[in-house]
Amino acid sequence: MRLELGLLLVLIALFVVSLTVGPANVPARDSLAALFDPGYGPLTLVMQEIRLPRALLAIIVGAGLGLAGASMQGYLRNPLAEPGLIGVSGSAALGAVLAIYSGLAAGASLGLPLAALAGALVGVFLVMTLAGPRGGSLTLILAGIAISALAGALTSLVLNLSPNPFAANEIVFWMMGSLADRSMTHVWLALPFVLAGIAIIATTARGLDALTLGEDAAQTMGIDLGRLRLLLVFGTAAIVGGTTAVAGAIGFVGLVVPHILRPLVGARPSRLLWSSAIGGAIMLQLADIAVRLILPERDLKLGVVTAIVGAPLFLHLIFKTRKELP
Amino acid sequence: MSLLSVKNLGVTLRNRTVFEDISFSVPKGEFIGLIGPNGAGKTTLMRASLGLLPHTGNSTIAEMSARDRAHAVAWMPQSREIAWPISVERIVALGRLPHLGAGQKMPPQDQAHVDAAISRLGLDAFRARAASRLSGGEQARALIARSIAQDTPLLMADEPIAGLDPAHQISTMQVFSELAKEGHAVVVSIHDLGLAARHCTRLILLAKGGILADGKPRDVLTPDLMAEAFGISVWHEETEQGPVFQPLEVVS
């Protein structure tokens, strides 16, 4: 519990920092006061309409991706698993890309996120149909890879056929993932999906612990594997669909965060779920602050930063693992 | 009272009949060794009677709901899977999972089961060690302790003593035998016929697509049955130190 509490304090501190970082060079105390006091005029507007949704989204998206990553690794008993594995992020991205290509994104304010959610829904339906009724994890991975590959190919096709370089540019930039210029509408759009996903995945915690000993042992400990897989896929799909819809494709959070925190929670999959949720929110909040501090005048993309930070962290973990080998 | 009753059980995998028409029952107090050559279907028989494989015929445990089954039988599969570097104590504590509510803290009486199982298998020194980093034999003992901590009337284990050193093979067989004497029943598949002869109260010989013999060890481990099932000659003697059984040579 002490670890989770510590992480939570770090997260709260980062949330406050995130609220005070931005191109409008205002003292931290003023900007925080403006959040609650309309007397600050335009600053209040900046705080409530720009910085608050951004800081909230970093928590929502990061927590969702961290938890989904921990649950996927627990389910597949593989530290390399990540939420994108079941093909939902690929199909959500395809939905969004189609919305940009067709002009739907420009035409309706929520056209893009809703198209991404529709893509995620189609993706999860296809994956569950392909994976079949029996509860094994192997068919799920195969189905996920197939859907990811297909969605990736179709995304490339859309890029290939995009009418002008601007559309292609927009698509590419969107796919890098970002939290810039999001509104409270985006928060309200993502929040129910992420909360529902977290609630669904929370019910799988015992099953994930039992799965440590393999599928046979888990089944004889009273775990219904078919139900577990269904809950896990729908929970992950809700989280990945909801977060991709508002923030684009943000990688590495679901992969790296559980990996870093695993040794600190005694490797128990159930406990890792919660610490990874907080850890994911911390990582994304940090990355989103970095985006604004490193190159404030260029629109540095969040997904690029998480990848740049995530890849070396992963390398470090590889070297650590190599040292432990005989 | 029978803890497991199997009637006319048959399994066909990929159009190959593994066995057919198998019936036996497991009463309280028995320590049953399931013996038979490789590929005879020992694992398949145990998994089918647990309801983990599609089968024909009946098994009282296979008909239970997953939740009831978890209170009726503990199962230790052959593949000794420990996915994460979790402490031995936590691995053993997983055996209490069917008895606890979601997110519930371990009550003292459940912790007592865990402690007892750890001591029984001589794992006290390993409590805090990461189970996945132990040697194969130590992992096997941790997993046996996990099954015992589940505290079910019936315990089934697939080759639980394979890979253990002689001292631990003997002490583990003694643990199973004590459990049976305490009123549980234990079914293990086993290749070491010498240990089976000394510790099991009953042997089931599975070969040639069915049960070839089922009874007291001395009635099953006969030269004729051993030649028929395994193609080996044997030396089997009642001595002052108990029954001694030694496979000798392969006979054609």
Side-chain angles (χ1 to χ4, degrees):
Chain A
M1 280 321 283
R2 211 183 278 162
L3 173 79
E4 283 86 347
L5 221 61
L7 288 174
L8 212 55
L9 288 177
V10 173
L11 179 59
I12 293 168
L14 284 172
F15 179 69
V16 174
V17 171
S18 170
L19 283 176
T20 56
V21 172
N25 218 346
V26 193
R29 190 181 301 177
D30 284 356
S31 51
L32 288 177
L35 187 58
F36 304 101
D37 181 3
Y40 283 82
L43 184 57
T44 302
L45 211 65
V46 166
M47 289 305 294
Q48 289 180 349
E49 302 291 320
I50 298 175
R51 288 195 195 165
L52 183 63
R54 184 167 189 164
L56 285 175
L57 275 176
I59 292 180
I60 296 168
V61 173
L65 290 177
L67 181 111
S71 72
M72 208 37 97
Q73 296 186 359
Y75 175 67
L76 296 174
R77 283 157 286 150
N78 189 330
L80 295 177
E82 52 124 6
L85 207 67
I86 58 167
V88 178
S89 39
S91 45
L94 176 63
V97 166
L98 280 173
I100 298 172
Y101 175 77
S102 63
L104 181 70
S109 67
L110 285 180
L112 189 146
L114 291 177
L117 281 172
L121 202 68
V122 173
V124 71
F125 174 75
L126 283 175
V127 164
M128 285 318 283
T129 314
L130 280 174
R134 287 188 65 111
S137 54
L138 186 65
T139 49
L140 180 66
I141 302 177
L142 291 174
I145 291 175
I147 296 301
S148 293
L150 184 64
L154 291 177
T155 304
S156 302
L157 179 67
V158 176
L159 263 175
N160 191 177
L161 299 180
S162 63
N164 54 59
F166 301 109
N169 223 355
E170 204 187 334
I171 290 173
V172 169
F173 274 136
W174 183 84
M175 287 203 296
M176 289 176 182
S178 169
L179 292 176
D181 305 326
R182 302 302 196 266
S183 67
M184 285 308 279
T185 320
H186 289 94
V187 173
W188 296 124
L189 187 73
L191 190 63
F193 284 97
V194 173
L195 283 183
I198 289 176
I200 292 172
I201 288 179
T203 64
T204 67
R206 274 152 60 87
L208 296 180
D209 275 351
L211 267 178
T212 303
L213 303 179
E215 298 194 347
D216 255 28
Q219 267 182 293
T220 51
M221 281 192 270
I223 305 299
D224 179 345
L225 289 183
R227 186 165 166 272
L228 180 72
R229 187 178 77 169
L230 202 68
L231 290 171
L232 208 89
V233 170
F234 279 117
T236 308
I239 289 174
V240 174
T243 57
T244 309
V246 297
I250 294 173
F252 274 99
V253 177
L255 181 64
V256 174
V257 170
H259 216 93
I260 295 173
L261 293 174
R262 181 167 293 115
L264 305 179
V265 298
R268 272 166 68 205
S270 57
R271 203 178 151 203
L272 187 60
L273 287 181
W274 301 112
S275 49
S276 294
I278 311 172
I282 289 178
M283 178 174 171
L284 212 60
Q285 196 70 271
L286 266 178
D288 193 45
I289 292 171
V291 161
R292 284 173 278 172
L293 288 182
I294 297 170
L295 286 172
E297 66 282 359
R298 301 292 302 272
D299 182 18
L300 191 58
K301 294 293 180 191
L302 185 59
V304 177
V305 174
T306 58
I308 289 177
V309 176
L313 267 176
F314 214 67
L315 285 179
H316 166 72
L317 291 167
I318 294 170
F319 283 116
K320 217 178 86 193
T321 313
R322 268 175 50 175
K323 252 194 233 149
E324 279 174 14
L325 292 176
Chain B
M1 196 191 81
S2 153
L3 301 177
L4 164 65
S5 175
V6 169
K7 275 210 181 67
N8 310 115
L9 196 74
V11 173
T12 301
L13 294 173
R14 291 185 201 87
N15 294 324
R16 190 180 71 90
T17 304
V18 184
F19 51 73
E20 281 181 310
D21 216 18
I22 286 200
S23 302
F24 65 93
S25 73
V26 181
K28 270 186 179 177
E30 293 237 59
F31 175 17
I32 300 178
L34 185 60
I35 58 173
N38 293 138
K42 299 185 291 298
T43 302
T44 308
L45 174 58
M46 289 202 275
R47 293 188 71 222
S49 35
L50 286 164
L52 298 174
L53 275 181
H55 55 267
T56 57
N58 302 95
S59 151
T60 48
I61 283 180
E63 279 143 33
M64 291 179 183
S65 71
R67 178 187 275 268
D68 289 344
R69 178 175 62 192
H71 291 274
V73 62
W75 166 236
M76 177 193 165
Q78 190 175 3
S79 61
R80 284 144 191 189
E81 227 170 298
I82 302 177
W84 307 111
I86 301 180
S87 71
V88 168
E89 182 177 356
R90 284 286 175 195
I91 289 288
V92 177
L94 283 176
R96 299 309 297 164
L97 198 108
H99 303 273
L100 300 176
Q104 191 186 342
K105 270 191 95 174
M106 181 89 71
Q109 68 267 29
D110 290 78
Q111 184 62 42
H113 277 291
V114 173
D115 294 340
I118 289 177
S119 301
R120 258 196 152 137
L121 273 296
L123 290 165
D124 287 291
F126 299 100
R127 272 185 109 95
R129 294 263 300 274
S132 57
R133 299 195 187 112
L134 298 178
S135 77
E138 290 160 351
Q139 286 189 9
R141 279 155 58 206
L143 292 173
I144 295 167
R146 197 288 298 167
S147 326
I148 291 175
Q150 200 170 335
D151 191 37
T152 47
L154 176 61
L155 172 66
M156 289 174 80
D158 199 356
E159 298 197 23
I161 62 161
L164 270 62
D165 61 54
H168 284 113
Q169 284 192 329
I170 294 169
S171 59
T172 303
M173 290 299 272
Q174 276 167 349
V175 167
F176 289 143
S177 168
E178 283 161 23
L179 282 169
K181 285 189 189 123
E182 288 164 18
H184 299 257
V186 181
V187 179
V188 301
S189 67
I190 183 166
H191 277 301
D192 192 320
L193 302 176
L195 283 168
R198 288 179 71 87
H199 298 278
C200 294
T201 61
R202 177 177 149 200
L203 294 181
I204 295 177
L205 173 58
L206 192 65
K208 303 186 171 168
I211 291 182
L212 214 56
D214 178 355
K216 296 228 169 307
R218 70 174 113 81
D219 302 327
V220 174
L221 297 170
T222 60
D224 288 347
L225 282 169
M226 291 302 100
E228 187 180 353
F230 294 100
I232 54 172
S233 63
V234 300
W235 184 80
H236 191 191
E237 208 64 33
E238 282 295 330
T239 69
E240 279 171 23
Q241 281 101 27
V244 176
F245 179 95
Q246 177 64 48
L248 297 176
E249 273 172 54
V250 176
V251 293
S252 50

